[in-house]
Amino acid sequence: VPVSRIRNFSIIAHIDHGKSTLADRLLQTTGTVSAREMKEQFLDNMELERERGITIKLQAARMKYTAQDGQDYVLNLIDTPGHVDFSYEVSRSLAACEGALLVVDASQGVEAQTLANVYLALENNLEIIPVLNKIDLPGAEPDRVKSEIEEIIGLDCSGAVLASAKEGIGITDILESIVYLVPPPQDTVEKPLRALIFDSYYDPYRGVIVYFRVMDGTLKRGDRIRLMASGKEYEIDELGVLSPTQVQVEELHAGEVGYLAAAIKAVEDARVGDTITLAGKQSSIEPLPGYTEAKPMVFCGLFPTDADQFEDLREALEKLRLNDAALQYEPETSSAMGFGFRCGFLGLLHMEIVQERLEREYDLDLITTAPSVIYRVTKIDGEVIYIDNPSLLPDPQYREMIEEPYVQVDMITPEEFVGPLMELSQSRRGVFKDMKYLTQGRTTLSYEIPLAEVVTDFFDQMKSRSRGYASMEYHLIGYRENPLVKLDILINGDRVDPLATIVHRDKAYYVGKALVEKLKELIPRHQFKIPIQAAIGSRIVASEHIPALRKDVLAKCYGGDISRKKKLLQKQAKGKKRLKAIGTVDVPQEAFMAVLKL
Ligand code: GDP
Ligand code: MG
């Protein structure tokens, strides 16, 4: 089809507002996927994604649609990941589109991720079509939500589509709106080739599969291409479209979306946001705007419980990294933990996903240490260093100042939870920025908070204090100086470096006390008494001890409740798997995360 009949669009939504369900319905209605082929949520194809109900990797699908004007159109749906950790990927996939469906749950309203995604869409100059989803629900209030969108986002909702992705209501209206409202791509087929990479994944047989949108020019099978950011050159083995399974074609033109394979060895060499050009002619060509390398913000140590698994862990990380350019790791040796890796992640969700995949897909037993952010430390001699591991913080006599990353956290909440959320933010050293009443009883609340305080359990606390009704987004705003100190933990007299944390001076005593109490609970009794201490430098700020084991554990169960005894034994057997011997003390996995649970 001619460029004038191509439409490239994304769906943006807050989590659970129905993006995947709507995508399924569009594929089905256009006959791209038959009802029989239709697995629920076709686009979320990783097992882990399905279980967690989130979209991690974005993908694309090409649909043919005969509109009511009798013409055939090609509609390319480019899916976006739905989590803040992947907002750079969201922004790149939006850059490959001319329009976006803004899906809002009509029984809920505008949420934090709705707003964040809309801002990204506006930055990319997209035509935004509001869709009020879930109108089949008895609690749906499309009119209220429309006025909310108009007031908060300033988006005209007179043409908003009322839909139920679940019941198949409004789907044709949505398709027609895409055809009429989303502009076609510009016809720049005469210009030299530039294509934007919006996703890639590693295939063990064909190398990296790259998803891209041709912005200018033409790409043919057999072309020799150059990836501008990495500077590497390859010959295209395979070129195709996603309908939604891969179908090979000979060439793709400006405005089209497709995939290619070119024996690329790791996704690192074909990163999201990079520009593809033809090899040889690149000197006068400007790369497409917006490329940045996704930088890890959260770090933790990964140690095999069994030292023999170190090489397996290395191999597993190498394999995961082929598919995940944002994952960083380097070997780490700890006197307490032995050999392992220090790993960097985009955020907490990214970290959890990687840990889970290592354990599930590679069958490793790991001890994970508490997450840390990157501190910027200026030493007495003026040298500036970045520390992602609290145990490596230079002693006070060698450092001039410590700065820590801050984020702006934007929350949207029903009015009645404003108090509890302010309290939460303040307890996390938050600095109040702004509060706005949006519409009847809904409020936005903005705080500047140290990232270290957000990567603990901030999200869970926000959810529980608002009974699940509040939502949040955050973005990095820079580094700030604070009086921070390193809190060491000593078990049985030994400094355990993976338990070291960096805390605000004013909180150090409280955290130290709470931490030793928590560790006392978590570390099982041994044949001997175990002292647990918290220290700042050589000063002990809190101490506890775990008394020696005397009685049989079963003595705890008074009387003869056999099922309780069984349960207790089972619990112990399970706990045993994740213990790390530190000196003569067996420390369970939970202890390394104790600082998150204070
Ligand atoms: P996503 O997180 O935005 O991808 O949301 P999903 O598509 O996974 O949908 C979240 C939940 O809402 C699922 O349980 C869907 O079945 C449900 N859902 C989606 N669309 C509708 C709808 O139109 N009506 C109703 N009642 N439920 C819906
Ligand atoms: Mg989804």
Side-chain angles (χ1 to χ4, degrees), residues 424-425 428 449 453-454 456-462 472:
L424 169 66
S425 306
R428 301 302 167 91
I449 306 181
E453 302 274 356
V454 177
T456 53
D457 60 345
F458 190 90
F459 181 79
D460 296 340
Q461 284 291 328
M462 179 214 62
M472 66 174 265

Side-chain angles (χ1 to χ4, degrees), residues 166-429:
K166 193 171 166 194
E167 307 285 329
I169 301 167
I171 306 304
T172 306
D173 292 343
I174 292 173
L175 289 165
E176 291 293 319
S177 300
I178 294 168
V179 166
Y180 284 99
L181 298 175
V182 177
Q186 292 192 345
D187 190 354
T188 51
V189 73
E190 301 304 326
K191 289 193 181 172
L193 173 73
R194 289 197 301 176
L196 173 67
I197 300 180
F198 61 82
D199 195 11
S200 59
Y201 72 90
Y202 177 75
D203 176 302
Y205 302 104
R206 297 180 292 170
V208 175
I209 307 295
V210 178
Y211 290 85
F212 59 88
R213 149 85 190 265
V214 185
M215 305 304 285
D216 302 320
T218 299
L219 192 59
K220 298 192 189 73
R221 185 146 63 111
D223 275 349
R224 206 169 160 73
I225 53 165
R226 178 186 164 87
L227 300 169
M228 296 188 81
S230 70
K232 299 204 170 160
E233 298 192 355
Y234 303 91
E235 194 176 299
I236 298 181
D237 300 325
E238 196 184 319
L239 187 68
V241 294
L242 305 142
S243 65
T245 49
Q246 297 173 349
V247 175
Q248 295 201 37
V249 298
E250 285 302 312
E251 50 182 69
L252 289 167
H253 306 279
E256 293 191 288
V257 174
Y259 78 93
L260 64 82
I264 301 170
K265 296 214 171 54
V267 289
E268 183 182 13
D269 300 326
R271 283 184 176 234
V272 170
D274 199 356
T275 302
I276 303 169
T277 56
L278 291 179
K281 306 184 195 165
Q282 70 280 6
S283 57
S284 62
I285 297 174
E286 284 275 307
L288 295 160
Y291 176 75
T292 45
E293 244 171 61
K295 284 210 184 63
M297 299 220 281
V298 177
F299 290 77
C300 77
L302 291 181
F303 296 90
T305 46
D306 176 356
D308 292 345
Q309 282 196 332
F310 175 75
E311 281 305 321
D312 297 339
L313 176 58
R314 179 201 296 280
E315 266 175 43
L317 283 168
E318 269 168 22
K319 281 197 190 132
L320 281 187
R321 171 140 175 99
L322 290 176
N323 216 351
D324 184 352
L327 169 66
Q328 270 188 9
Y329 63 91
E330 56 181 41
E332 176 184 1
T333 317
S334 149
S335 55
M337 307 288 280
F339 295 101
F341 291 93
R342 190 81 191 160
C343 302
F345 309 92
L346 296 175
L348 274 195
L349 180 71
H350 185 214
M351 178 172 105
E352 282 172 26
I353 290 166
V354 170
Q355 288 166 3
E356 220 166 300
R357 293 189 62 186
L358 286 171
E359 299 197 338
R360 259 194 222 207
E361 294 169 30
Y362 298 91
D363 199 23
L364 297 165
D365 280 331
L366 300 175
I367 296 281
T368 311
T369 66
S372 165
V373 301
I374 304 188
Y375 296 90
R376 183 158 73 193
V377 181
T378 307
K379 300 209 282 189
I380 293 287
D381 61 9
E383 191 194 350
V384 175
I385 55 172
Y386 288 85
I387 299 282
D388 62 44
N389 186 342
S391 69
L392 300 178
L393 185 71
D395 287 337
Q397 67 268 32
Y398 299 113
R399 60 181 200 241
E400 182 76 36
M401 71 169 172
I402 311 178
E403 292 163 288
E404 61 180 327
Y406 268 67
V407 289
Q408 175 164 330
V409 177
D410 297 313
M411 292 168 271
I412 294 187
T413 177
E415 218 171 332
E416 67 223 76
F417 304 117
V418 164
L421 292 183
M422 289 179 104
E423 215 175 281
L424 169 66
S425 306
Q426 259 133 26
S427 75
R428 301 302 167 91
R429 299 192 278 134

Side-chain angles (χ1 to χ4, degrees), residues 429 482-486 502-510 536 539:
R429 299 192 278 134
N482 273 320
L484 301 173
V485 295
K486 180 170 62 146
I502 293 176
V503 294
H504 193 277
R505 197 180 49 202
D506 298 346
K507 278 187 167 185
Y509 172 76
Y510 159 78
I536 298 173
R539 187 164 55 95

Side-chain angles (χ1 to χ4, degrees), residues 5 65-73 176 179-180:
R5 279 190 264 132
Y65 177 62
T66 308
Q68 282 162 3
D69 65 4
Q71 307 255 43
D72 286 339
Y73 290 86
E176 291 293 319
V179 166
Y180 284 99

Side-chain angles (χ1 to χ4, degrees), residues 3 45 66 266 307 332 395 433 439 574:
V3 174
N45 53 11
T66 308
E332 176 184 1
D395 287 337
K433 277 303 285 180
T439 48
K574 235 181 171 180

